[in-house]
Amino acid sequence: MEIDLGANSFGIDFHPSKNLVAAGLIDGRLHLYRYEADSSSIVRERKVRAHTESCRAVRFIDDGQRIVTASADRSILASEVETGAIVARLDNAHDDAVNTLITVTETTIASGDDKGCVKIWDTRQRSCSHEFNVHEDYISDMTFQSSSMKLVATSGDGTLSVCNLRTNKVQSQSEFSEDELLSVVIMKNGRKVVCGTQDGTLMLYSWGFFKDCSDRFIDHAPNSVDTLLKLDEDRVITGCDNGILSLVGILPNRIIQPIGSHEFPIEDLALSHDKRFLGSTAHDNMLKLWDLEAIIQGSSGNLGNAPVPAADKDSDSDDDNDEMDLDDDSPPKPSKGSTNRKTKSKPDRVDTSTSFFADL
């Protein structure tokens, strides 16, 4: 299934229980689509102008009752899924364009901007509970480990950070790599953090040892790994700047099979609530839904979680205990010299007046 969105989409997300998928577009609009697996049809339910500039991130929250979007105009917006009515708006969420947005807990979301700031938001109080200013460049991606309440973020400055939401402190930051870190997932039951880079290398970090990566998988080079999507504890789906989607195994590291392709670089990936469909957007303005069940099982694969081989288990695992996070809290000093920065197109910033969530 596929549909022409009419503009580039920076972010997509699936409803947690219904056959709905949302897409945020470069023109600031939010599109909501309903897809039917049996008839292979996808129909637009709603189109709204959510932001004055590009909508860079989309997330369903509150068990799918609401959609939260983040924008280059520095705003964060919450709207009702059923009616499209605006529930709350934070017009001045960040000092710079908001680039990423993830759900942390049932009542908490996290956002990252183009200046490297990460903010934690309480959706009940509609206020910022804490912010972390550890990075020197844009926040490219974030993920969360709920068992230890750790937020992991990657940045265009070439570093990875781990923030402890229990103590509201930066737990650790990696040393500066030569390339930007563009995407991140936590795998192997919390023992490994996998990052996609600009030169195509997948960098693997062992939990509790974040200063430098423990392994590198170079088979993607030289295609930039712009987005990663965790399928299970042993497999990840990669989206690259050559438009190729691939299923990749982690420890042992291998490209298992191609999944599909776009004509232009991949922008975002998401899984449907039943894990049957993979959603992808790219610079070709297309939203595509891939039937993973047919693609992977047709190649003698398995969509379920595969057991972790004994040989893959790491002796440096901390089993999610805070006491075993061995890296210190002091971030490394930035390296001298300039590096190339790969950022999403950023429209001119619009001045806004409100600095809190306002009921509308």
Side-chain angles (χ1 to χ4, degrees):
M1 290 183 281
E2 63 180 50
I3 191 167
D4 190 342
L5 299 173
N8 184 18
S9 173
F10 281 152
I12 58 172
D13 195 28
F14 282 90
H15 191 279
S17 60
K18 299 179 180 179
N19 289 357
L20 296 173
V21 59
L25 276 58
I26 193 173
D27 60 8
R29 297 184 188 276
L30 172 67
H31 288 196
L32 182 66
Y33 294 91
R34 182 177 299 276
Y35 60 93
E36 299 297 337
D38 295 336
S39 61
S40 296
S41 67
I42 179 169
V43 179
R44 190 171 67 200
E45 295 270 299
R46 189 179 304 115
K47 178 177 71 172
V48 296
R49 183 62 180 268
H51 300 277
T52 59
E53 298 184 30
S54 59
C55 181
R56 293 186 176 181
V58 179
R59 288 291 182 272
F60 284 94
I61 64 169
D62 296 339
D63 293 325
Q65 298 182 59
R66 297 177 177 86
I67 303 176
V68 175
T69 56
S71 171
D73 65 12
R74 300 179 291 166
S75 69
I76 296 176
L77 179 73
S79 59
E80 294 284 354
V81 170
E82 291 297 326
T83 65
I86 296 175
V87 178
R89 183 193 298 273
L90 180 61
D91 283 327
N92 210 14
H94 284 255
D95 292 335
D96 213 279
V98 187
N99 196 44
T100 59
L101 181 74
I102 66 167
T103 301
V104 176
T105 68
E106 292 182 355
T107 58
T108 310
I109 60 175
S111 57
D113 67 25
D114 279 356
K115 287 292 181 65
C117 175
V118 173
K119 291 190 175 184
I120 311 300
W121 302 93
D122 187 324
T123 58
R124 296 165 301 182
Q125 300 297 322
R126 299 175 181 177
S127 62
C128 177
S129 60
H130 202 78
E131 70 176 76
F132 303 95
N133 292 283
V134 63
H135 291 285
E136 303 293 330
D137 208 334
Y138 71 102
I139 303 299
S140 56
D141 198 9
M142 295 184 292
T143 189
F144 181 66
Q145 187 181 72
S146 58
S147 60
S148 60
M149 292 295 289
K150 305 287 175 58
L151 181 75
V152 180
T154 53
S155 171
D157 64 13
T159 69
L160 171 150
S161 66
V162 181
C163 299
N164 190 325
L165 301 193
R166 287 197 179 107
T167 62
N168 287 329
K169 293 182 179 180
V170 178
Q171 181 105 17
S172 184
Q173 186 179 13
S174 70
E175 296 180 355
F176 286 80
S177 66
E178 296 179 357
D179 291 289
E180 301 173 21
L181 303 186
L182 304 178
S183 46
V184 61
V185 291
I186 299 173
M187 301 186 67
K188 294 294 181 179
N189 300 301
R191 295 181 293 108
K192 291 291 180 180
V193 175
V194 182
C195 298
T197 68
Q198 189 176 16
D199 74 351
T201 300
L202 292 180
M203 299 177 64
L204 279 64
Y205 293 83
S206 295
W207 193 269
F209 297 83
F210 295 108
K211 289 303 181 183
D212 197 6
C213 65
S214 59
D215 195 10
R216 294 173 183 264
F217 181 44
I218 64 173
D219 282 11
H220 266 293
N223 301 309
S224 172
V225 183
D226 295 340
T227 181
L228 292 172
L229 180 65
K230 178 180 174 178
L231 181 61
D232 54 41
E233 298 300 330
D234 304 295
R235 296 174 297 177
V236 64
I237 299 169
T238 62
C240 298
D241 65 355
N242 62 354
I244 302 296
L245 307 173
S246 300
L247 182 64
V248 176
I250 299 298
L251 295 176
N253 301 327
R254 65 201 186 282
I255 297 179
I256 299 173
Q257 70 177 82
I259 291 176
S261 66
H262 286 256
E263 295 183 5
F264 293 97
I266 305 299
E267 194 61 55
D268 199 16
L269 301 173
L271 279 177
S272 63
H273 62 90
D274 55 3
K275 284 192 174 184
R276 176 176 175 180
F277 291 101
L278 166 69
S280 63
T281 59
H283 291 193
D284 55 10
N285 300 344
M286 300 299 295
L287 167 63
K288 295 187 178 184
L289 302 188
W290 308 90
D291 190 338
L292 281 181
E293 192 174 81
I295 293 171
I296 297 179
Q297 289 186 354
S299 301
S300 300
N302 186 346
L303 277 177
N305 289 350
V308 180
D312 292 342
K313 294 185 179 296
D314 272 66
S315 59
D316 56 19
S317 171
D318 68 345
D319 293 327
D320 299 335
N321 292 323
D322 293 350
E323 297 80 27
M324 292 298 292
D325 284 327
L326 302 181
D327 289 340
D328 60 40
D329 294 336
S330 303
K333 300 294 183 181
S335 57
K336 301 294 183 180
S338 61
T339 58
N340 293 327
R341 299 301 181 204
K342 179 181 177 181
T343 59
K344 298 176 181 177
S345 56
K346 299 191 285 288
D348 293 336
R349 188 165 64 188
V350 176
D351 290 333
T352 52
S353 57
T354 314
S355 59
F356 54 90
F357 273 120
D359 288 319
L360 297 179

